Amino acid sequence: MKIVIDTNVVISAVFFGGIPRKILEAAMAHRFQVCGTPSIIAEYEEVVAEMIERKQGRLRRDVLAPFISQIRIFEPATSLCICRDPDDDKFISCAVDAEAKYIVSGDKDLLVIKDYEGIQIVTAKEFSDSFIFQS
């Protein structure tokens, strides 16, 4: 199964743990395939670097490297304009290009859409309840 993970879930996983971290751990264990584009990965890295700087954290800047190495990277082919926040369109476009089943997000601008052409947009908890803890 292919999924796209929004930046806020990745940031929550790295800095706060909980369910978002369980999702990243499950991805690293190959329970599903995370898909992304170069711009999505760049956003992950940029926001993590900003958070480390802001929090004067002790994390290494390459903290995402093991996760990013597992991402199946797609060059953007689709360019949609459907989100209230145009910066979020890249996640839906990536999901379309990757033929992903889910977008996992905490962003209300994405979550309000709920479903786009069969791609379900769900919270980390909803995804976790359905896939992470099932055996």
Side-chain angles (χ1 to χ4, degrees):
M1 171 178 52
K2 297 178 202 165
I3 71 169
V4 174
I5 301 177
D6 192 1
T7 306
N8 57 56
V9 175
V10 173
I11 299 309
S12 291
V14 170
F15 291 96
F16 307 108
I19 292 171
R21 184 168 295 157
K22 291 184 186 313
I23 292 172
L24 264 59
E25 289 169 352
M28 299 288 294
H30 306 288
R31 303 257 327 260
F32 43 82
Q33 176 67 64
V34 177
C35 302
T37 63
S39 67
I40 289 171
I41 292 168
E43 183 174 296
Y44 292 166
E45 292 172 332
E46 180 181 310
V47 176
V48 165
E50 287 174 16
M51 291 285 290
I52 289 171
E53 181 114 355
R54 210 178 320 148
K55 302 276 186 186
Q56 309 242 332
R58 294 184 205 123
L59 290 176
R60 294 177 41 190
R61 289 197 182 271
D62 64 352
V63 67
L64 288 178
F67 170 65
I68 288 173
S69 72
Q70 300 292 318
I71 296 174
R72 182 164 175 208
I73 300 173
F74 287 81
E75 287 300 323
T78 302
S79 181
L80 298 171
C81 297
I82 62 171
C83 291
R84 296 185 300 206
D85 179 355
D87 196 42
D88 292 331
D89 286 324
K90 68 180 165 279
F91 296 100
I92 297 176
S93 296
C94 176
V96 168
D97 290 342
E99 298 179 354
K101 193 168 182 178
Y102 294 92
I103 297 172
V104 183
S105 179
D107 187 322
K108 291 179 184 172
D109 292 325
L110 279 169
L111 291 169
V112 72
I113 297 168
K114 296 183 183 177
D115 183 284
Y116 181 79
E117 294 187 2
I119 301 164
Q120 294 181 44
I121 304 171
V122 298
T123 65
K125 180 166 180 9
E126 290 168 334
F127 184 78
S128 178
D129 288 350
S130 295
F131 297 101
I132 304 300
F133 299 114
Q134 288 183 353
S135 35

